[in-house]
Amino acid sequence: DFGKTYLGARSLILKTDSLPKIWFTRFTSIQANYAKKKIKEIDKEDRQRIKNCKKIINSINKKNFFNIVTNNQNVYWQLICFSNKKKTILNLFEKNKIDTATPSIILYSNIKKKKFKIKVPNAELIYNNSLFIPSYHRLKDLEINRIIGVLKNA
């Protein structure tokens, strides 16, 4: 059961009280050395992801993205695009074999058995009109340009 937790079986809950306490309070010099190297890699990956996102945002209509706040620390773990052509873009991405996703959040306003009857228009707008655009650090310029081309044709 322990192994399934790391293989996507989300219904399982890892019971940390059965694990050695030292696992949560100390680390070895080998782990520290690895972490030092990994931090440098992560910084490089973050810079590439930011570069990819800026290229996509600057190549199509900027109003389809959140405003970029000056001097922010956003590394664009996910690039969210807003469009009233969401279904068209999703179909074009699928046709062009470009991986994308839509929000998987639950809209509380759509839950039938709810105690509170509130409208959340901003959440509904985001849910109904947003999709995640691939921008991860390993994408090549050719792939970024393909994504931009599909977005421009939508």
Side-chain angles (χ1 to χ4, degrees):
D1 285 346
F2 179 78
K4 289 181 184 176
T5 304
Y6 298 101
L7 298 174
R10 294 182 181 189
S11 62
L12 299 173
I13 296 174
L14 178 62
K15 296 183 180 188
T16 58
D17 56 344
S18 64
L19 299 173
K21 297 274 186 236
I22 194 168
W23 286 13
F24 302 99
T25 58
R26 297 193 180 144
F27 52 91
T28 67
S29 59
I30 294 170
Q31 290 169 310
N33 197 24
Y34 175 79
K36 275 177 55 177
K37 290 178 186 175
K38 192 65 182 166
I39 286 172
K40 290 177 187 172
E41 289 175 29
I42 290 170
D43 287 341
K44 183 179 175 185
E45 292 169 4
D46 287 349
R47 284 191 301 276
Q48 185 60 47
R49 202 168 31 253
I50 291 167
K51 180 181 168 190
N52 292 347
C53 289
K54 285 184 178 180
K55 183 174 182 178
I56 293 168
I57 291 168
N58 291 327
S59 296
I60 63 171
N61 195 337
K62 290 182 183 182
K63 74 175 187 162
N64 293 85
F65 300 94
F66 284 114
N67 290 332
I68 298 173
V69 179
T70 307
N71 298 324
N72 74 355
Q73 297 294 319
N74 189 353
V75 294
Y76 297 98
W77 188 246
Q78 295 180 323
L79 178 60
I80 301 174
C81 175
F82 299 100
S83 177
N84 56 1
K85 298 179 183 179
K86 175 181 171 178
K87 289 187 180 190
T88 302
I89 295 170
L90 287 172
N91 289 335
L92 284 170
F93 271 28
E94 183 179 355
K95 181 180 174 185
N96 287 277
K97 296 181 176 27
I98 298 172
D99 185 31
T100 189
T102 57
S104 58
I105 60 172
I106 296 172
L107 283 176
Y108 287 109
S109 59
N110 290 347
I111 297 173
K112 302 240 188 266
K113 295 179 181 180
K114 60 183 180 190
K115 292 181 181 180
F116 304 104
K117 295 185 180 193
I118 58 169
K119 282 286 184 189
V120 283
N122 288 339
E124 290 172 9
L125 181 70
I126 291 169
Y127 183 83
N128 292 325
N129 296 297
S130 65
L131 60 150
F132 300 114
I133 306 299
S135 58
Y136 41 92
H137 66 278
R138 290 188 177 145
L139 289 173
K140 296 174 181 66
D141 276 340
L142 182 68
E143 295 167 317
I144 294 289
N145 291 335
R146 204 168 111 228
I147 291 165
I148 291 168
V150 170
L151 287 170
K152 282 183 174 181
N153 289 323

